[in-house]
Amino acid sequence: GDGDFVELDVDGHTNLDNVSIAGVTTMSGVLNANGNRIYVNGADPAVDLIDSNNNSDYRFHNDNGTFKIKDQSNANAVRYQLGADGKHYIYGDTAVMGSSNLTVGGNLSVGGVLTYEDVTNVDSVGLITARAGFDLTGGNINLGDSDGASDDRIVFGADTDMFIYHN
């Protein structure tokens, strides 16, 4: 009561109401937080999830208003980020599991190679490449004439020594 440090040693079950703890608190066992929220306040708030069986350890981090999940076992590499602008960023390889559909409500940009299998009705603008040939089983191949000249051709051979055209 006179402001001096008093040590509290509690054994067994004890109910303490409205406990305020300043500094580091170490607990062993399970932390049960019954209520609606857990608050972590500070200039650089984070929650670390560290296991004891040599698997990856993770940090949930509010980094200047950007939510990040960091892999502490790999030099704090950011694995997921939700920016203050509402954009989601996923770093590294990504697998979408448990669903047969992926719906993109806007534009989809692919910065590398897009690989797909078992698809039909694909509309493509630009160059088409095929690893094992190109089969046209129905319809026509139409060569458009964008500049008004009738010089569109199908060319065979490296030296354009054979071509098909209509004039």
Side-chain angles (χ1 to χ4, degrees):
D2 59 6
D4 292 335
F5 174 75
V6 177
E7 184 175 331
L8 174 64
D9 184 9
V10 178
D11 294 323
H13 179 81
T14 302
N15 287 326
L16 301 172
D17 295 327
N18 298 318
V19 176
S20 178
I21 301 171
V24 176
T25 302
T26 303
M27 292 177 259
S28 62
V30 176
L31 170 64
N32 289 319
N34 296 316
N36 293 329
R37 294 174 184 85
I38 296 174
Y39 292 97
V40 179
N41 295 314
D44 193 29
V47 175
D48 294 339
L49 303 176
I50 301 171
D51 65 16
S52 60
N53 58 358
N54 299 319
N55 290 323
S56 292
D57 300 324
Y58 292 96
R59 170 174 287 169
F60 296 151
H61 187 201
N62 182 347
D63 189 3
N64 292 317
T66 299
F67 173 72
K68 295 179 179 178
I69 297 177
K70 296 180 176 180
D71 185 348
Q72 291 184 285
S73 302
N74 291 295
N76 270 336
V78 176
R79 300 298 186 204
Y80 172 80
Q81 176 176 322
L82 174 59
D85 57 3
K87 292 182 181 177
H88 299 263
Y89 300 87
I90 301 172
Y91 300 93
D93 293 338
T94 303
V96 178
M97 307 300 289
S99 176
S100 60
N101 298 310
L102 174 63
T103 302
V104 177
N107 295 330
L108 174 65
S109 297
V110 177
V113 175
L114 175 63
T115 304
Y116 51 92
E117 298 175 8
D118 299 327
V119 294
T120 57
N121 300 322
V122 175
D123 292 327
S124 176
V125 177
L127 184 65
I128 299 172
T129 59
R131 291 184 188 164
F134 176 79
D135 294 327
L136 177 65
T137 59
N140 299 315
I141 297 176
N142 295 317
L143 298 175
D145 196 355
S146 61
D147 63 359
S150 59
D151 57 354
D152 297 323
R153 309 163 185 250
I154 300 175
V155 179
F156 302 92
D159 296 326
T160 66
D161 55 350
M162 182 177 169
F163 54 87
I164 300 172
Y165 72 97
H166 179 272
N167 69 17

